[in-house]
Amino acid sequence: MVYKIRVILNAEEDVIRDIAIEKGSNLEDLHNAITNSFGFAGDQMASFYKSDDTWVQGEEHPLFDMSDGLEPKIQMRDVLIHEALENQNDKLLYVYDFFNMWSFYVELIESDFDHDNLALPYLLFSLGIVPNTAPEIQFEAEDLSEEAMEEDDFEEFDDE
């Protein structure tokens, strides 16, 4: 069975790749297909993260175990794609090159793709040009300034 997976670079301009890949391939195979389709050398550290429908980052599957004595994480090569993306619209986050933080949204868009004997993995669709540098990721933090804090924020503590 062949999966059709959409990979979207987290950037202002649309940069999208659709990849056909065997359901029984592992996440390392998907990592290689992604790096090839976006024109990366594939020589940098990378990780997949399980995600929910709102793209919240979950369990990590790194390319290599870097736990350094801590609890080891299950590596990409040990996770089959159909285990990570069980159902249509299941999602993963993918980060390539932790110094530059190229980040991608990965989604299973078709779970029984008719591949017409293509050599897999196969780049089905390409839209947009990868920028020369990784897009800057904006992290939003809660505003803790005095102006933002209202007296009613602390009402629950008044009774104590």
Side-chain angles (χ1 to χ4, degrees):
M1 188 176 289
V2 176
Y3 275 3
K4 182 177 180 182
I5 295 176
R6 175 155 294 154
V7 184
I8 303 171
L9 176 63
N10 184 9
E12 282 188 35
E13 300 293 322
D14 289 339
V15 183
I16 300 169
R17 305 291 186 262
D18 287 352
I19 298 169
I21 192 165
E22 288 281 345
K23 171 184 174 178
S25 297
N26 61 34
L27 288 179
E28 187 172 358
D29 296 326
L30 181 57
H31 153 78
N32 291 328
I34 291 170
T35 57
N36 288 335
S37 69
F38 282 88
F40 296 123
D43 60 353
Q44 298 296 317
M45 189 58 190
S47 285
F48 282 100
Y49 299 88
K50 292 195 175 189
S51 178
D52 63 14
D53 286 338
T54 60
W55 300 103
V56 172
Q57 181 177 314
E59 180 184 6
E60 178 184 15
H61 297 297
L63 183 58
F64 302 107
D65 182 13
M66 304 291 283
S67 59
D68 198 28
L70 303 173
E71 185 176 332
K73 296 181 170 126
I74 301 171
Q75 295 176 44
M76 288 182 197
R77 69 173 175 247
D78 299 322
V79 179
L80 299 178
I81 292 173
H82 71 84
E83 295 170 337
L85 298 169
E86 296 179 42
N87 302 303
Q88 193 163 328
N89 301 320
D90 278 359
K91 297 166 179 44
L92 296 169
L93 294 169
Y94 172 71
V95 176
Y96 175 76
D97 184 355
F98 288 103
F99 290 112
N100 292 301
M101 295 297 290
W102 293 93
S103 61
F104 301 83
Y105 301 104
V106 178
E107 183 173 6
L108 175 61
I109 57 174
E110 196 172 329
S111 59
D112 192 13
F113 181 71
D114 184 12
H115 65 294
D116 292 327
N117 299 317
L118 298 172
L120 300 173
Y122 187 81
L123 179 61
L124 298 166
F125 174 77
S126 177
L127 173 72
I129 299 170
V130 178
N132 292 329
T133 58
E136 192 172 314
I137 299 173
Q138 298 294 323
F139 294 100
E140 292 185 26
E142 186 177 343
D143 185 358
L144 297 177
S145 65
E146 286 185 33
E147 298 83 34
M149 294 191 153
E150 301 285 330
E151 208 174 288
D152 56 275
D153 289 343
F154 299 99
E155 283 182 8
E156 64 184 274
F157 299 109
D158 290 344
D159 295 335
E160 292 180 10

